[in-house]
């Protein structure tokens, strides 16, 4: 069983600190163990954009990878399932991160036209870390 699962809130949301300067707003995503920091060193950053309202992304989980998902612009809905609990979160602000721990099945949908997603990951890309079949995910949770 994934050890992170038992200690994280569900959903686990992180509010990142922003400075409201006279010429714009700066939000900081800094690695650290304090509240409001990225809880792992980032090895990969994704920017996902150009989704249509009817699109779905995700529909998978990971064996080891932890990620923070932030909606930099626009909005979307993320459905979460840890095998025993299900919930959904609307992401619509650039200072709010959703922590996707390993073995949390996640699906993103309901994208606004201007939706831009930032993904901060603690691993480099490895397709073997993905579980893309829901049945396999359930089997892994029983191990
Ligand atoms: C996640 C959610 C939140 C690469 O070539 N390199 C990469 O680093 C990644 C992540 C993907 N790809 C290729 C693999 C697929 O053919 O890009 C294609 C789309 O990837 P995927 O279907 O995994 O994209 P999403 O948006 O469903 O998922 C992504 C991340 O992959 C995933 O880790 O949790 O965002």
């Amino acid at each position: 069983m994934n050890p992170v699962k038992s200690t994280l809130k569900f959903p686990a949301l992180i509010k990142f600190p922003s400075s409201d300067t006279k010429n714009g707003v700066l939000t900081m995503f800094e690695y650290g163990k304090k509240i409001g920091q990225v809880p792992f060193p980032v090895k990969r950053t994704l920017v996902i954009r150009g989704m249509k309202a009817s699109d779905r992304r995700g529909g998978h989980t990971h064996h080891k990878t932890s990620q923070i998902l932030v909606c930099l612009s626009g909005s979307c809905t993320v459905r979460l399932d840890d095998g025993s609990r299900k919930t959904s979160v609307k992401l619509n602000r650039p200072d709010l991160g959703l922590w996707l721990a390993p073995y949390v099945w996640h699906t993103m949908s309901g994208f606004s036209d201007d939706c831009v997603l930032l993904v901060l990951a603690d691993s480099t890309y490895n397709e073997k870390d993905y579980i893309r079949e829901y049945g396999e995910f359930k089997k892994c949770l029983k191990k």
Side-chain angles (χ1 to χ4, degrees), residues 62-113:
H62 298 268
H63 289 289
K64 290 189 178 159
T65 299
S66 275
Q67 299 173 112
I68 303 286
L69 185 58
V70 181
C71 193
L72 293 178
S73 160
S75 63
C76 74
T77 298
V78 188
R79 283 189 293 123
L80 303 171
D81 175 353
D82 74 354
S84 54
R85 298 170 294 180
K86 291 183 185 183
T87 191
S88 68
V89 179
K90 182 159 184 172
L91 293 178
N92 58 3
R93 39 189 300 172
D95 61 353
L96 188 69
L98 174 62
W99 186 349
L100 300 170
Y103 297 116
V104 174
W105 189 267
H106 49 276
T107 308
M108 296 89 84
S109 63
F111 300 104
S112 63
D113 286 348

Side-chain angles (χ1 to χ4, degrees), residues 44 46 48 57-58 60 62 67 106 108 125 130 132:
R44 183 165 44 111
L46 310 173
I48 308 175
R57 301 197 67 101
H60 62 238
H62 298 268
Q67 299 173 112
H106 49 276
M108 296 89 84
Y125 178 60
Y130 284 71
R132 294 189 186 269

Side-chain angles (χ1 to χ4, degrees), residues 107-128:
T107 308
M108 296 89 84
S109 63
F111 300 104
S112 63
D113 286 348
D114 56 348
C115 181
V116 177
L117 289 174
L118 172 74
V119 185
L120 305 175
D122 70 350
S123 67
T124 55
Y125 178 60
N126 176 6
E127 187 56 38
K128 287 186 182 154

